Amino acid sequence: MAQQIGIKAALEEASKGYAEGGVPIGSVLLDEHGAILGKGHNQRIQKSSPTLHAEIAALENAGRQKAEVYRKATLYTTLSPCSMCTGAILLYKIPRIVVGENVNFKGDEDLLRERGVEVTVMDNHECKELMRRFIRERPEEWNEDIGETN
Amino acid sequence: MAQQIGIKAALEEASKGYAEGGVPIGSVLLDEHGAILGKGHNQRIQKSSPTLHAEIAALENAGRQKAEVYRKATLYTTLSPCSMCTGAILLYKIPRIVVGENVNFKGDEDLLRERGVEVTVMDNHECKELMRRFIRERPEEWNEDIGETN
């Protein structure tokens, strides 16, 4: 149930991103009680940002937090996290992440698991459909976002 | 010689950060000809940012770039990159990084090397002294920056 609420909030962010013409990936950071610490969506197109992936945007929106807060938090993201976002999760020792889907892109989940992060993949239909649509519509921008050549 | 110019530019960024009261870590991204694509310094204190580490700030300052550009670039940073910045280097497949020092903090250099990134550590005296001073003066903010408890 908590997972459904978390992924729904992340998906709302992803949908906002799509409506803005952006890469439709959303993320929320929840505290130990399930309250939202921060939320965000990918800003590559909107802000010409190569680093504001959804997870980074959610961490940024949460602002400066003590180490203890991150260590009890859960990060939700609509898509499997890339290497950069994986690294951010490792930096702050976020113990649990919930991933909407990893069919359209699979990031560094194995490294997360190796380092002790609990990774749950929901295989969420809406997450998959939204991402699939964007990749079909804007393949060049998608490749740019994951550092791939066109 | 190229390395001296690159690390000098990164150190100038770090010194700006220190003068602003921030975490004194600086970074520059150079293209294949040694021209600066982007530069920046840690913005935790100045912008209350948990994600604008120096390397992320330099990538952000460089703006949206094609995959091909990153793949010929070199990233200079005054301090060994944390997991997040390591992940950003891996995302964009930056093939070479030059690190001012890894005595005050050693990040995920081993992972970078495992994945084929050329990592050069300069053991630069000025980088070490500036960082050492900051850690002595502001240990709590330093710990926060690397996700450690106080």
Side-chain angles (χ1 to χ4, degrees), chain A residues 95-113:
Chain A
R96 274 173 307 280
I97 71 160
V98 180
V99 172
E101 62 113 347
N102 64 4
V103 174
N104 287 299
F105 175 79
K106 190 169 182 226
D108 243 331
E109 292 169 21
D110 293 343
L111 180 66
L112 287 169
R113 290 197 181 93

Side-chain angles (χ1 to χ4, degrees), chain B residues 8-46:
Chain B
K8 187 163 177 282
L11 198 47
E12 274 171 22
E13 283 295 319
S15 299
K16 273 188 212 169
Y18 187 80
E20 293 165 5
V23 183
I25 304 171
S27 179
V28 294
L29 183 69
L30 301 189
D31 74 8
E32 59 185 313
H33 308 294
I36 291 180
L37 290 164
K39 57 184 179 174
H41 50 274
N42 186 301
Q43 297 288 338
R44 172 168 301 273
I45 294 169
Q46 296 93 317

Side-chain angles (χ1 to χ4, degrees), chain A residues 5-20:
Chain A
I5 294 168
I7 204 67
K8 189 165 176 282
L11 199 47
E12 274 171 21
E13 284 295 319
S15 298
K16 272 188 215 169
Y18 187 78
E20 292 165 5

Side-chain angles (χ1 to χ4, degrees), chain A residues 47-122:
Chain A
K47 293 189 180 168
S48 272
S49 170
T51 69
L52 282 169
H53 276 191
E55 300 89 330
I56 301 292
L59 289 166
E60 191 65 10
N61 180 248
R64 287 173 62 180
Q65 299 285 344
K66 295 285 175 203
E68 293 81 354
V69 174
Y70 296 114
R71 291 181 189 193
K72 293 174 183 168
T74 303
L75 185 79
Y76 284 78
T77 176
T78 55
L79 186 66
S80 181
C82 80
S83 298
M84 174 175 65
C85 299
T86 291
I89 293 160
L90 295 174
L91 167 63
Y92 288 121
K93 301 182 179 64
I94 297 171
R96 274 173 307 280
I97 71 160
V98 180
V99 172
E101 62 113 347
N102 64 4
V103 174
N104 287 299
F105 175 79
K106 190 169 182 226
D108 243 331
E109 292 169 21
D110 293 343
L111 180 66
L112 287 169
R113 290 197 181 93
E114 266 173 42
R115 302 242 180 134
V117 177
E118 185 187 313
V119 180
T120 304
V121 180
M122 295 184 73

Side-chain angles (χ1 to χ4, degrees), chain A residues 44 49-51 56 59-60 63-64 67-68 70-71 83-84 87-88 92-93 108 115 141 144 147-149, chain B residues 44 49-51 56 59-60 63-64 67-68 70-71 83-84 87-88 92-93 108 115 141 144 147-149:
Chain A
R44 172 170 300 272
S49 170
T51 69
I56 301 292
L59 289 166
E60 191 65 10
R64 287 173 62 180
E68 293 81 354
Y70 296 114
R71 291 181 189 193
S83 298
M84 174 175 65
Y92 288 121
K93 301 182 179 64
D108 243 331
R115 302 242 180 134
E141 273 145 329
E144 186 191 301
E148 291 298 337
T149 52
Chain B
R44 172 168 301 273
S49 171
T51 69
I56 302 291
L59 287 167
E60 191 65 11
R64 288 172 63 180
E68 294 80 355
Y70 295 115
R71 292 181 188 194
S83 298
M84 174 175 66
Y92 288 120
K93 300 183 178 65
D108 244 331
R115 302 242 180 133
E141 273 145 327
E144 186 191 301
E148 292 297 338
T149 52

